Amino acid sequence: MGCAGEGRLSSYTYRHYPYRRPPELDGQTARRPVVIVGAGMAGPTLALLLAQRGIPTVVLDEDDTVSVGSRSICQAKHSLEVWDRFGVAQRMVDKGITWEQGEVYLRDKPIYRFSLQPEPEQKFPAFVNLQQYYVEEYLFERCLTEPLVDLRFRNKVVGVAPRDDGVAVEVETPEGGYKLEADWLVACDGVRSPVRHMLGMLYPGEVFHDQFLIADIRLLSELPRERRFWFYPPFHPTNSVLLHRQADDVLRVDFQLGRDADAEEEKKPENVDRRLRQMFGPDARWEHEWTSVYTFTCRMMERFVHGRVIFAGDAAHVVSPFGARGGNSAIADVDNLAWKLALVLAGAAPASLIDSYCSERRAASRENILNSTRSTDFITPKFAASRALRDAALALARDFPFARALINSGRLSVPTGHAGSALDTPDVDQDWRRGPAPGHAMVDAPVGGDGEGWLVDRVGSDFTLLTFADRNLAFEHLPQRVKGLCVSGDGLARQRYDARPGTSYLIRPDRYVAARWRRYDPVAVDAAVRRATGDG
C-alpha cells in the first residue's frame, strides 16, 4: 500500500504529446490574433470557444502532458454547459461520477443531507466528479482536431513585451527560440503565472496556514456516491475530514491536519495508512494513487487586463479549495472573455469592451473569495469564540433547520452574478417575482414536447432573444447578430422565467441575461444589444 510518487498513478497512464517544430523556426512569421499561454483547463477551453467564432489561436505550453497529480475534481454544471458547445461534455459525464447529494456528519452521526441541484430537469447534473487530467485530455484531443487551434507542447514563454497595438512573445523550444507577434495575449498559466512575473504584476491576498492531507486511493470495496463531510469524526477526532468519489473507483480523502503538523511525517505511507485504517476499518483494502499535504491562499490581481495582455483563471485569482470554485471559475472567465474578444477582433465592438471582462470577472472573483473564505473560517476557526459558535450550530443542526443554514462545509460553485455591469440593461418592469435578472446566468429547462430537448441547446452562439408566446412568432426587425427563439406552451421554462405571453429575455453569448422585458420591443432589443457590446 505504498503511496504513489509524483508523475505516476496506478489508474491513469499519462500520454506525452508530440512536440512539433514551429514554423517560426523556419522563418515563417505571421502576426497572430490571439496567443494563449498555458494549457490547463482554461487555455484550451478559450481556444475552442474562439475557434467556434472563427478566431485562430496559438496555445503555448511548456509541458507535454496533462496536469500531474490530484487537482480539480468537481466539474460544475455551468462548466459542462460550456464544454458541451464543442462536444466534450457528455464524454466527461460518462466517465465521471454524477452526484447531487451531500451529507454532513458530527462525529459518527449524520446530521443532515442536502441537494446540490434544487431545480431538477436540466440537461446536466449539478456536479460531475472527474479528475483534472481527464478533463485536460479530452480538451487536448478536441483541440488537436480543430484546424483553428495550434496547440504547441514544449513551447516555453520566456519573454513578453507589451506594445500599444499588440504583444511580442519570446518562446523557447527543444530546437531553439523564436518570436511571435500577437494582437492579444491571454495568460492562463496558473497560480505561479510566469507571464505575471515577467511583467512584474502584484498578486495580493491572504495566506491560510492550516494544512490538509490529500489521500487519493482506490478502495477495493463498496464505494459511496455522495459527498461526505465529517466534523470531529471518531477516526480523526480533533479536526474535519472530506470524502469525494472520483472516476476509476478512486476516493479523495482530505484530512484537516492543523497548522502545526509535520508535513513530511504526515506524507509517509505508514502514517497515511494508519489514518485510513482508522477511517475504513481493519478489513478494508486499498491502493494508493496520490498523497500530498497542502496549504492555500486567496489572491486576486488588481486588474485582469493590462493593455493587450489579459489574465484568466488562477493566473488572475485563486481561492481555497472548499467549494470547487477554482477550476469552474476559470472556465467562467474564458467564457466571458471569448465572445468579447471575438467581437473586438472582428471590428464589431470597441476594444473597451474587454474592460468589461475585467470588471465582471473581478466581481465574480470577489464573490468566490468571499464564499471560499467563509467556508475556510468555518472549517478552520481561528478563535475560541468562533469555534464555540460553530460547535453550537453543529449540535443543533440535526433537529433545527435554522442551524443547518449556518453550517459551511464549502458553499459549492454556482454561476456568479455581476449585477450592475455597464453591459446590462436594468429592468424597466418591476413586477418580476423570479427568473434570472440582468447580470445573472440563464437557467436551463426542458422545452418541446415529451422532453425532447433543452433550452440551453436552443440558445445561439451569439445573442438570443428568448420570447414566451402562445404561438410561434415571426421575429421582425431583430438586430442582425440576434437569434429569435420562441418558447410556447406551459412548462418549467415558463415557470423558471416568470413568463407571461410576450415576456422576453436577451441572452448574451456566454448565456448570461443582458436584459428582460414583459413584451417584445425591437427598439429596446436593439438598444440593449448595442449596450451589451460596448456601444451603448
Side-chain angles (χ1 to χ4, degrees):
M1 296 189 201
C3 296
E6 183 174 344
R8 58 186 177 90
L9 301 174
S10 64
S11 65
Y12 183 80
T13 301
Y14 282 89
R15 172 185 171 187
H16 291 273
Y17 294 86
Y19 161 81
R20 294 184 175 88
R21 183 177 175 85
E24 288 79 7
L25 288 176
D26 297 318
Q28 301 178 37
T29 60
R31 188 180 177 94
R32 310 290 177 151
V34 180
V35 168
I36 300 168
V37 183
M41 295 200 301
T45 300
L46 175 59
L48 290 166
L49 288 170
L50 288 170
Q52 284 191 314
R53 293 168 170 81
I55 305 297
T57 59
V58 176
V59 183
L60 304 172
D61 194 77
E62 63 181 84
D63 205 349
D64 65 352
T65 190
V66 296
S67 296
V68 174
S70 189
R71 299 194 182 187
S72 163
I73 62 170
C74 299
Q75 316 308 334
K77 180 174 74 70
H78 54 102
S79 297
L80 293 166
E81 290 173 349
V82 173
W83 292 323
D84 194 44
R85 294 179 218 162
F86 35 84
V88 298
Q90 191 57 51
R91 187 178 180 189
M92 296 178 186
V93 174
D94 293 342
K95 179 64 179 177
I97 300 297
T98 297
W99 56 289
E100 295 184 356
Q101 296 290 322
E103 195 162 31
V104 177
Y105 288 74
L106 177 58
R107 299 181 179 88
D108 59 347
K109 303 293 184 184
I111 54 178
Y112 75 96
R113 296 178 65 87
F114 59 91
S115 172
L116 299 167
Q117 186 150 294
E119 290 191 307
E121 295 194 63
Q122 301 190 53
K123 182 173 183 179
F124 290 106
F127 287 91
V128 168
N129 276 4
L130 183 66
Q131 297 91 314
Q132 182 169 334
Y133 42 78
Y134 278 117
V135 174
E136 293 181 9
E137 176 188 324
Y138 300 163
L139 291 171
F140 284 6
E141 290 180 7
R142 181 65 183 84
C143 284
L144 292 171
T145 66
E146 172 52 62
L148 291 179
V149 177
D150 183 359
L151 177 53
R152 300 184 182 182
F153 299 103
R154 300 179 70 188
N155 278 241
K156 181 179 180 179
V157 174
V158 294
V160 175
R163 299 172 180 169
D164 290 342
D165 64 344
V167 186
V169 186
E170 295 182 37
V171 187
E172 283 293 334
T173 78
E175 298 179 299
Y178 66 91
K179 292 185 178 181
L180 276 176
E181 295 284 340
D183 294 331
W184 296 87
L185 181 143
V186 185
C188 302
D189 52 345
V191 65
R192 295 181 178 86
S193 181
V195 172
R196 192 181 62 241
H197 284 290
M198 290 174 204
L199 297 180
M201 303 295 179
L202 298 178
Y203 203 29
E206 180 179 1
V207 178
F208 296 85
H209 297 287
D210 267 272
Q211 299 180 90
F212 291 80
L213 169 71
I214 284 181
D216 277 8
I217 61 171
R218 298 185 76 185
L219 188 64
L220 308 178
S221 59
E222 185 177 353
L223 299 169
R225 292 193 71 87
E226 71 274 7
R227 175 187 192 264
R228 294 180 182 175
F229 197 105
W230 288 266
F231 291 95
Y232 306 123
F235 51 84
H236 191 59
T238 59
N239 281 302
S240 62
V241 177
L242 172 64
L243 182 148
H244 275 284
R245 182 179 171 184
Q246 308 172 59
D248 300 327
D249 293 333
V250 174
L251 287 182
R252 170 177 288 185
V253 187
D254 278 69
F255 293 95
Q256 181 187 353
L257 301 176
R259 61 177 59 200
D260 298 324
D262 185 327
E264 294 306 313
E265 281 294 315
E266 293 291 347
K267 286 190 293 186
K268 289 182 177 178
E270 61 270 23
N271 291 327
V272 177
D273 283 336
R274 174 178 52 81
R275 293 193 182 280
L276 294 171
R277 179 69 59 212
Q278 291 171 337
M279 181 175 183
F280 293 110
D283 298 325
R285 295 291 180 268
W286 58 81
E287 297 173 354
H288 285 281
E289 283 287 294
W290 184 265
T291 302
S292 63
V293 173
Y294 68 90
T295 58
F296 51 84
T297 63
C298 289
R299 298 183 184 276
M300 182 171 67
M301 295 181 69
E302 294 293 340
R303 286 191 55 79
F304 297 174
V305 179
H306 295 266
R308 294 298 184 96
V309 179
I310 305 169
F311 293 85
D314 284 354
H317 51 79
V318 64
V319 297
S320 79
F322 307 120
R325 294 173 178 272
N328 291 301
S329 176
I331 301 307
D333 282 356
V334 297
D335 193 25
N336 182 290
L337 175 63
W339 67 274
K340 297 174 180 178
L341 198 51
L343 285 177
V344 171
L345 284 164
S352 59
L353 180 63
I354 304 300
D355 292 333
S356 71
Y357 160 75
C358 178
S359 59
E360 290 181 352
R361 292 312 299 166
R362 269 184 54 84
S365 299
R366 283 193 295 269
E367 182 178 331
N368 280 322
I369 289 173
L370 175 63
N371 279 286
S372 176
T373 302
R374 285 173 174 170
S375 298
T376 302
D377 290 342
F378 191 88
I379 294 168
T380 62
K382 306 299 185 294
F383 307 103
S386 54
R387 181 176 289 272
L389 179 62
R390 182 190 78 170
D391 292 350
L394 291 169
L396 294 169
R398 183 180 293 111
D399 300 317
F400 297 98
F402 83 89
R404 297 170 196 166
L406 301 176
I407 295 175
N408 191 338
S409 62
R411 298 283 190 259
L412 287 155
S413 177
V414 295
T416 47
H418 40 70
S421 168
L423 303 190
D424 297 333
T425 298
D427 284 335
V428 176
D429 305 294
Q430 303 301 317
D431 62 341
W432 299 95
R433 294 167 298 175
R434 58 179 304 174
H440 291 79
M442 68 168 288
V443 182
D444 195 17
V447 292
D450 299 321
E452 65 186 25
W454 300 99
L455 185 59
V456 74
D457 290 335
R458 303 286 185 89
V459 174
S461 60
D462 212 318
F463 286 85
T464 299
L465 184 72
L466 170 63
T467 297
F468 294 84
D470 293 329
R471 57 183 176 80
N472 285 328
L473 296 178
F475 290 99
E476 297 180 355
H477 309 298
L478 274 181
Q480 184 176 4
R481 62 177 65 134
V482 179
K483 168 189 174 181
L485 173 61
C486 181
V487 175
S488 58
D490 295 323
L492 279 176
R494 186 172 290 239
Q495 295 175 29
R496 289 175 179 171
Y497 285 82
D498 191 24
R500 308 167 190 169
T503 294
S504 299
Y505 284 76
L506 180 64
I507 310 295
R508 302 187 339 180
D510 57 359
R511 315 293 174 85
Y512 271 71
V513 174
R516 60 180 179 174
W517 306 271
R518 280 301 181 191
R519 63 182 181 85
Y520 167 52
D521 180 346
V523 175
V525 172
D526 182 69
V529 171
R530 286 189 286 107
R531 179 169 181 158
T533 54
D535 189 29

